[in-house]
């Protein structure tokens, strides 16, 4: 089978950047599964579909016209790379992600990314549900202080305003929802290796995981 590295972890743990760099380094494909939940959330917000309308959300998820082109993400013909990163979409995505029917609708779409020579997939349930047979599973974490700080810097760098206390509260609320939902909750798989990046830069984290892949 085509090898998969599954990287799961809480919000702002560095998963996105680490997984993308690792994929580049290995010359493998890359799946940002959170982007799919964000795309469903964006489409739902725009159409005024409430976050509890499960059947309609599942339908949106199934019919989503998504295209990943390099580091840009398209919904139909529109570049929504920035639009899916707002706090409003983040909060809606985590509310939508609790529905089993939505997760089910995105399952095959995610598995289709598994192509030669390999795939680095990041999210919350890559190792537990989507790619349970992954050859390497990593659980990436960092302290809540460090994660809030990272999110804060990201927003400031983009010229957006941010309040670190509020960011921390939102981050903890989202983590709690991800950890306590009934379906595919965020938790470390028994066979996953844990990497705490609180005191570690992106390059160092990539280096560690790269070595795990090679051994
Ligand atoms: O960037 P951040 O880590 O904050 O979030 P993300 O990875 O883009 O995911 C956004 C939301 O989608 C998360 O808060 C989860 O609720 C949900 N998600 C999920 O349930 N399962 C995944 N495999 C990926 C994301």
């Amino acid at each position: 089978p085509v090898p998969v590295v599954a990287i799961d972890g809480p919000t702002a743990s560095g998963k996105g950047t680490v997984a993308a760099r690792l994929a580049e380094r290995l010359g493998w494909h890359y799946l940002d599964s959170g982007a799919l939940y964000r795309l469903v959330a964006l489409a739902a917000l725009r159409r005024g579909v409430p976050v509890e309308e499960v059947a309609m959300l599942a339908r949106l998820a199934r019919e989503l016209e998504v295209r990943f082109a390099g580091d840009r993400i398209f919904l139909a013909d529109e570049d929504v790379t920035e639009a899916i990163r707002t706090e409003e979409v983040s909060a809606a995505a985590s509310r939508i992600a609790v529905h089993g029917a939505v997760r089910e609708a995105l399952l095959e779409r995610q598995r289709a990314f598994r192509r030669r020579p390999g795939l680095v997939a990041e999210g919350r349930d890559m190792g537990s549900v989507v790619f349970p047979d992954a050859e390497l599973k990593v659980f990436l974490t960092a302290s809540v202080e460090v994660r809030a700080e990272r999110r804060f810097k990201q927003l400031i760098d983009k010229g957006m305003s941010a309040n670190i206390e509020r960011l921390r509260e939102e981050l903890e609320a989202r983590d709690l929802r991800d950890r306590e939902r009934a379906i595919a909750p965020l938790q470390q798989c028994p066979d996953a290796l844990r990497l705490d990046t609180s005191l570690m830069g992106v390059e160092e984290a990539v280096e560690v995981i790269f070595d795990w892949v090679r051994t």
Side-chain angles (χ1 to χ4, degrees), residues 176-196:
L176 198 69
R177 248 193 321 269
D178 286 347
R179 289 204 160 95
E180 300 205 325
R181 67 182 175 219
I183 302 151
L186 170 68
Q187 56 184 45
Q188 183 175 349
C189 291
D191 54 347
L193 299 177
R194 191 182 187 87
L195 186 61
D196 188 319

Side-chain angles (χ1 to χ4, degrees), residues 4-38:
V4 177
V5 175
I7 304 182
D8 291 302
T11 181
S13 55
K15 285 177 301 159
T17 325
V18 169
R21 295 271 180 89
L22 179 70
E24 213 175 290
R25 200 118 179 234
L26 291 164
W28 289 9
H29 299 282
Y30 165 56
L31 167 63
D32 170 4
S33 63
L36 294 173
Y37 290 91
R38 289 171 178 277

